[in-house]
């Protein structure tokens, strides 16, 4: 049977700890705990990750080091060496990229591959997965777990299904059967709080989640409820694509007749500003720099920019600054053919909105 999409998710096993074991053979076979923050006093730091020997003692990521130490006093506790893990990660991601045209690095140790164009069926995808495992094992001395399915959601859950060194394939017609017995916690975006609330509603498995009406879930969780409704059915149409950082938003408008009329120019800028604001709101981004680009009737083009102190996302500020800049352009006696508005210097940091000074 020809599957619509074949998506693979690769996740390295006990990543930070495995890199440390590779670099320090003396750690192998012993419980190893990699900590973040000060671990010398074993008081304030938390566990970044633990190898599988240490996990047998109940140690897991984000656990306070002090507790991990109580659970396993004989464990080896070491600080994280992020520079090293980043280097190893980059090398592995580069290796993985050649196996698919469409790839998406999802975290330091995870990557999605869309192998639909390279493979005819899941059997062939399985062969690719085995090659990947071999390549990583031989060249990086690390193991990974791989999930294959027809979308990212299920592929990711599948890679976690048989860890470490697992390979789990879930074809389209087996998705429901695969998901049903699992905890809703396995779904992307379902954290401990949502899990508890679902439990209170009597929903402890994805099967039960699937039995809940969309209205009920939306009532309880809003938009996230709607997402859970789809995820419980194994639905995820999101493409495998590298996240590209958007560095600016802009709009341009060319007038049918060149103009110097401020009212018309401001109205045009206002429309562009509100479109830009919508894009920013969607991405939860804030800007600091506003630029107006002006092309005069003779095609002579100039830009003027202003950067404000604190990032904002509103049209009011955008327009206020744009007006100041436009006034400068209007001092020229030439008429304007095209006007452009751009916001840049973007950040996702939420800082109290401030009025312009
Ligand atoms: P994970 O892939 O979640 O964990 P892991 O690779 O250690 O183990 P698994 O075999 O279950 O995949 O995260 C990758 C790395 O990210 C992990 O090695 C350390 C780091 N990390 C933290 O620093 N803090 C955390 O809370 C988590 C979950 C991970
Ligand atoms: Mg991992």
């Amino acid at each position: 049977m020809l599957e619509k999409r074949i998506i693979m998710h690769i996740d390295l096993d006990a990543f930070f700890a495995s890199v440390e074991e590779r670099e320090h053979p003396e750690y192998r076979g012993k419980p190893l705990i990699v900590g973040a923050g000060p671990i010398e006093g074993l008081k304030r730091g938390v566990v970044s990750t633990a190898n599988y020997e240490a996990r047998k003692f109940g140690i897991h990521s984000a656990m306070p080091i002090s507790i991990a130490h109580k659970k396993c006093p004989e464990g080896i506790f070491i600080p994280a060496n992020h520079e090293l893990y980043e280097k190893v990660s980059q090398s592995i991601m580069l290796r993985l990229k050649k196996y698919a045209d469409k790839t998406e690095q999802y975290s330091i140790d995870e990557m999605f591959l869309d192998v639909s164009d390279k493979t005819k069926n899941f059997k062939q995808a399985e062969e690719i997965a085995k090659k990947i495992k071999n390549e990583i094992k031989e060249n990086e001395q690390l193991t990974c777990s791989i999930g294959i399915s027809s979308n990212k959601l299920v592929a990711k859950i599948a890679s976690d299904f048989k860890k470490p060194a697992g390979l789990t394939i879930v074809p389209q017609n087996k998705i429901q059967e695969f998901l049903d017995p699992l905890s809703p916690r396995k779904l992307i975006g379902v954290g401990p709080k949502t899990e508890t609330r679902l439990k209170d509603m009597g929903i402890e498995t994805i099967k039960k989640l699937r039995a809940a009406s969309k209205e009920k879930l939306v009532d309880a969780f809003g938009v996230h409820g709607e997402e859970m409704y789809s995820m419980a059915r194994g639905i995820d149409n999101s493409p495998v694509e590298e996240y590209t950082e958007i560095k600016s938003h802009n709009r341009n408008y060319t007038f049918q007749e060149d103009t110097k009329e401020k009212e018309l120019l401001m109205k045009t800028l206002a429309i562009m500003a509100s479109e830009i604001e919508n894009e920013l709101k969607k991405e939860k981004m804030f800007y600091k720099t506003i630029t107006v680009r002006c092309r005069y009737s003779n095609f002579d083009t100039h830009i003027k920019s202003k950067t404000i102190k604190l990032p904002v996302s509103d049209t009011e500020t955008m327009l206020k600054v744009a007006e100041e800049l436009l006034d400068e352009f209007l001092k020229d006696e030439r008429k304007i053919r095209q006007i452009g508005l751009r916001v840049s210097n973007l950040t996702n940091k939420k800082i109290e909105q401030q009025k312009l000074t």
Side-chain angles (χ1 to χ4, degrees):
M1 190 180 111
L2 205 71
E3 300 286 344
K4 252 175 93 188
R5 284 202 300 163
I6 303 180
I7 311 294
M8 203 178 277
H9 180 257
I10 298 125
D11 189 312
L12 292 150
D13 299 324
F15 182 49
F16 292 5
S18 305
V19 173
E20 293 293 348
E21 285 183 27
R22 177 182 96 175
E23 303 294 310
H24 304 273
E26 68 273 21
Y27 295 160
R28 289 180 201 159
K30 296 179 183 142
L32 176 68
I33 297 97
V34 182
I39 64 170
E40 300 77 23
L42 300 177
K43 280 205 174 85
R44 286 175 295 144
V46 293
V47 174
S48 280
T49 197
N51 68 0
Y52 279 78
E53 280 82 358
R55 290 185 200 192
K56 288 182 197 149
F57 293 84
I59 297 171
H60 56 77
S61 296
M63 173 182 277
I65 299 272
S66 52
I67 294 185
H69 192 251
K70 276 194 198 115
K71 285 184 182 285
C72 180
E74 71 269 38
I76 300 168
F77 290 77
I78 54 166
N81 179 353
H82 292 282
E83 219 171 291
L84 170 66
Y85 314 143
E86 195 53 58
K87 230 168 75 189
V88 177
S89 166
Q90 278 175 19
S91 158
I92 292 169
M93 296 303 157
L94 208 63
R95 290 182 185 284
L96 295 179
K97 274 186 178 172
K98 64 178 180 291
Y99 288 95
D101 306 319
K102 281 180 253 170
T103 61
E104 177 180 343
Q105 184 173 348
Y106 199 65
S107 79
I108 192 163
D109 80 330
E110 291 169 82
M111 185 173 248
F112 286 107
L113 304 182
D114 183 335
V115 292
S116 316
D117 297 337
K118 298 234 174 191
T119 51
K120 287 201 184 67
N121 50 43
F122 276 48
K123 194 83 210 126
Q124 287 184 4
E126 184 177 352
E127 292 312 312
I128 294 188
K130 286 181 181 162
K131 271 193 201 151
I132 290 176
K133 279 168 168 287
N134 277 339
E135 178 169 348
I136 296 181
K137 183 87 201 145
E138 279 178 19
N139 297 282
E140 308 279 353
Q141 289 86 50
L142 294 172
T143 64
C144 63
S145 296
I146 300 186
I148 307 175
S149 190
S150 48
N151 63 48
K152 284 159 74 177
L153 170 74
V154 184
K156 183 163 162 62
I157 298 172
S159 75
D160 188 51
F161 193 65
K162 275 186 247 154
K163 258 189 171 289
L167 172 56
T168 305
I169 301 167
V170 188
Q172 177 90 46
N173 60 353
K174 292 276 193 290
I175 289 181
Q176 210 63 71
E177 192 181 313
F178 171 70
L179 292 180
D180 272 352
L182 303 178
S183 157
R185 183 70 191 273
K186 297 279 174 193
L187 301 171
I188 293 169
V190 177
K193 277 187 201 151
T194 310
E195 185 188 26
T196 309
R197 285 183 63 199
L198 284 169
K199 266 190 189 152
D200 292 344
M201 292 162 73
I203 299 172
E204 284 173 348
T205 60
I206 293 181
K207 186 174 185 169
K208 287 203 173 146
L209 182 62
R210 197 153 52 86
S213 73
K214 196 189 256 186
E215 290 69 33
K216 186 173 165 181
L217 293 173
V218 171
D219 263 2
F221 302 100
V223 186
H224 192 208
E226 209 168 323
E227 283 166 9
M228 283 195 268
Y229 182 85
S230 304
M231 288 195 291
R233 284 157 182 74
I235 298 169
D236 171 26
N237 296 318
S238 65
V240 171
E241 59 187 2
E242 251 348 309
Y243 173 76
T244 47
E245 203 186 341
I246 298 158
K247 298 210 167 68
S248 70
H249 282 282
N250 68 79
R251 287 286 187 283
N252 287 297
Y253 186 79
T254 308
F255 296 103
Q256 284 192 341
E257 260 178 58
D258 301 353
T259 183
K260 246 184 103 55
E261 205 186 306
K262 186 167 169 188
E263 202 183 319
L264 174 64
L265 285 157
M266 280 311 294
K267 240 190 216 162
T268 309
L269 284 169
I271 294 167
M272 298 194 287
S274 88
E275 287 179 10
I276 291 173
E277 187 194 32
N278 283 340
E279 290 175 350
L280 291 168
K281 293 249 153 88
K282 240 184 262 164
E283 288 157 11
K284 298 192 176 65
M285 293 298 270
F286 303 83
Y287 64 85
K288 271 173 66 176
T289 302
I290 300 109
T291 303
V292 172
R293 180 174 171 277
C294 172
R295 173 167 286 168
Y296 291 109
S297 13
N298 65 347
F299 282 84
D300 198 4
T301 309
H302 298 270
I303 59 165
K304 286 188 194 296
S305 299
K306 181 169 173 174
T307 299
I308 53 173
K309 269 202 201 116
L310 289 166
V312 290
S313 68
D314 64 307
T315 17
E316 202 191 8
T317 312
M318 223 185 289
L319 276 179
K320 200 168 167 188
V321 174
E323 185 173 8
E324 274 175 42
L325 302 172
L326 176 68
D327 283 342
E328 291 295 310
F329 285 122
L330 286 173
K331 284 180 188 159
D332 193 293
E333 60 200 21
R334 288 173 290 181
K335 284 189 174 172
I336 294 168
R337 177 187 164 78
Q338 188 188 60
I339 193 90
L341 179 66
R342 182 174 73 213
V343 296
S344 54
N345 222 334
L346 302 183
T347 167
N348 57 5
K349 299 244 157 55
K350 216 173 194 162
I351 297 175
E352 284 278 294
Q353 292 221 353
Q354 288 238 334
K355 287 265 172 265
L356 271 181
T357 47

